[in-house]
Structures are given as structure tokens and as C-alpha cells.
Amino acid sequence: MTIHPPINFTQIELAPGHKRGLTLTSPFIAESGCWGFSDEYSKTIKMDLLGSMITNPISAYPRHPSRGVQIREVNPGIALHTGLPNPGIRKALLKFGKKWSNFSCPIIVHLAVENPDEVNECIYQLEEQDNVIGIELGLQHHDDPNHASAIVSNAAKWSLPIIVKIPFDNPETFAQLAQDSGAHAITVTAPARITLPHKNSWFEGRLYGANTFGIILTLVRKLSMTIKLPIIAAGDVQNNDQAKTLLEAGAKAVQLGSIVWIKPSKVNSILQSWQH
């Protein structure tokens, strides 16, 4: 069944009042951590139908893949621990900057930073990058609130709009923190973290593909009544019905995540069905 978008979905503004704005022409966004850094899925996905693509996390300095076990099956999904490997902001711009400039949809860069100085180091280099329209910051559930607030506040001083991807644990506290610290939108939420037994040790990773839709829907409904910021829903959406429900519940846009790994043809179907 084809679900048609509301008639006013020709443009979505995720940073109302911001001098640059954060305007999308589709409610669908490629989720950080699932789609790569630039054009990894361009041969299979109609990227021009996305409202935006959020890059894999990029840090101030290079990070290497985690050692040991990186993936575990969890019915009905996977738990993934990568260590957020990336070349660091300077080399990322050298490697991906030209592709971002000519990309078929706008780019939002996801930053994995540990302190306000790293925020400055990264955003300073991104300010003039063509076709980069915003920054998504990932917060950790164990972050000290004052420290997290300082990171968001520092990011908001720059000219690019700031989205805060709040952790699965304690989302209401971090959503309020993001709003109070000057963020322009929030992503609800980062994938849940889980712990599994592994031999004589433990494996920790983020959960993808599991049925978290109901939990995210509950949070979107609750936060839309208490938080003034635009909400981007991220909860392993698998079909049009789920996307439409999240938008009706108060989300302004929806991130598509692990579905791109297992059903790329389904992604094209979802994106095309929302075109006029």
C-alpha cells in the first residue's frame, strides 16, 4: 500500500528562526552509523530523494576500529561495536569534502567529540564546506550533564544549525539539556546499548534492527508535548506505516537506519512513495 505524505511536506524546516535554517525537501534522513561517509550506497539507493544524509561519526582526531568481537546476532537484529573508526576531521574533509560538495542531497556531519575544544576544532573546519547544512552531535548516556551542556553550547555559537542525538537511556533529561543549551533540533534517539556474555568476558554494543519502534513512538509523543525543538525520529523504521505514524505523533523528519543494510530496495520504495 502506498502512503501519501501530508500536502505540506514539500519542505521541512528543522531549524526555524536560525539564520541559515535547516530545510529539507523530504522527511527522510540517512542515519549516522549506517550509510557510511559519502557515496557508499549511491549505486543502490536514489540518494537525491533523501532530505539529507548524516555521515558516520567523525572525531577531531583519527580513530581506529575496535579490537576483538565487533558484531553479535540478537534476534531480531544485531549488536554492533565498531569503535567509531574514522580519519579525523582534517583528513575526512580531504577525503570526502569534494564528494560532499557535489552530493545529490545535503550533508549533515555527525561529530563525535569529547570536549568543547574538539567542537571548535571540528566546526571551524566545516563552516565553509559546500553542501554541509548542519551538525549532529552524539551525546552519551554517561555524560556529565554540565559537560554535555558545554559541548552543545559551544557548538551552537557557530553558524551551522545543531542537532543533538540524545541517548536511548535518560532521553528526557538530555532532550531538555539540548534545548536549554541552544540546540536547534533533537534526534530521538541513538540506538540502545546492550551487554551480552562472551566467553569469560562481556560484549557491549549498540542494538540495530530490534523492535524499538514502540519505544521511540512513545518518546516522540511525550517529548513533542514538552520540548519546543523539532524532533527527528530514529528507531529502525522499516516501512511507510511506521514513518507516517512517527510524523503524525510529532516528528518533523524520520531517520532510516539499518534497513539500508538488509532491504536497500525497500528504501527506494519508501523514498519514492513520498514524492509528489
Side-chain angles (χ1 to χ4, degrees):
M1 179 178 67
T2 298
I3 297 177
H4 298 289
I7 58 172
N8 60 347
F9 259 88
T10 53
Q11 284 194 337
I12 303 99
E13 180 53 63
L14 294 179
H18 187 273
K19 59 183 179 181
R20 286 195 182 192
L22 189 54
T23 307
L24 311 183
T25 57
S26 165
F28 293 107
I29 300 172
E31 182 176 357
S32 176
C34 297
W35 293 65
F37 292 100
S38 59
D39 57 355
E40 287 89 331
Y41 282 93
S42 292
K43 292 183 178 180
T44 55
I45 304 296
K46 296 182 181 296
M47 305 294 285
D48 60 313
L49 299 183
L50 286 164
S52 181
M53 174 182 158
I54 305 182
T55 68
N56 275 8
I58 298 174
S59 51
Y61 309 105
R63 293 181 64 160
H64 301 290
S66 61
R67 296 181 178 180
V69 180
Q70 294 187 0
I71 187 169
R72 290 284 301 275
E73 276 195 63
V74 182
N75 191 23
I78 60 170
L80 188 64
H81 176 63
T82 65
L84 304 182
N86 74 91
I89 188 63
R90 185 179 66 84
K91 290 185 178 179
L93 283 167
L94 290 173
K95 187 173 183 179
F96 307 120
K98 187 174 181 180
K99 291 181 178 180
W100 292 345
S101 296
N102 300 307
F103 209 65
S104 54
C105 71
I107 297 293
I108 295 171
V109 176
H110 183 106
L111 293 180
V113 293
E114 298 183 0
N115 56 64
D117 288 338
E118 290 187 358
V119 168
N120 294 337
E121 176 73 18
C122 292
I123 300 184
Y124 170 76
Q125 298 182 64
L126 289 166
E127 286 275 273
E128 302 304 322
Q129 171 62 46
D130 290 341
N131 202 36
V132 169
I133 63 170
I135 302 294
E136 184 181 69
L137 290 175
L139 298 182
Q140 304 294 322
H141 71 280
H142 53 71
D143 283 343
D144 174 80
N146 291 329
H147 182 71
S149 178
I151 288 175
V152 178
S153 297
N154 233 44
K157 294 176 182 177
W158 296 85
S159 67
L160 286 166
I162 302 300
I163 302 166
V164 171
K165 192 166 191 174
I166 63 176
F168 188 87
D169 298 318
N170 205 8
E172 293 175 80
T173 296
F174 280 93
Q176 188 64 55
L177 179 152
Q179 178 168 282
D180 294 344
S181 302
H184 304 100
I186 57 172
T187 298
V188 180
T189 68
R193 299 191 69 90
I194 64 168
T195 301
L196 298 169
H198 178 68
K199 297 181 179 179
N200 297 321
S201 177
W202 302 99
F203 170 84
E204 293 187 358
R206 291 195 179 274
L207 191 61
Y208 291 91
N211 187 18
T212 57
F213 171 75
I215 299 173
I216 300 303
L217 177 60
T218 299
L219 285 172
V220 168
R221 291 186 64 206
K222 183 180 293 186
L223 292 174
S224 66
M225 292 185 283
T226 59
I227 300 295
K228 297 178 182 179
L229 298 179
I231 295 172
I232 304 166
D236 270 319
V237 167
Q238 299 292 310
N239 55 57
N240 272 318
D241 288 331
Q242 291 180 340
K244 185 171 184 284
T245 300
L246 287 166
L247 293 168
E248 289 175 344
K252 295 294 184 182
V254 174
Q255 291 188 4
L256 298 176
S258 65
I259 187 174
V260 76
W261 299 336
I262 55 177
K263 299 178 183 176
S265 61
K266 186 71 173 292
V267 175
N268 282 328
S269 177
I270 292 172
L271 297 178
Q272 289 171 327
S273 69
W274 284 69
Q275 298 300 302
H276 289 296

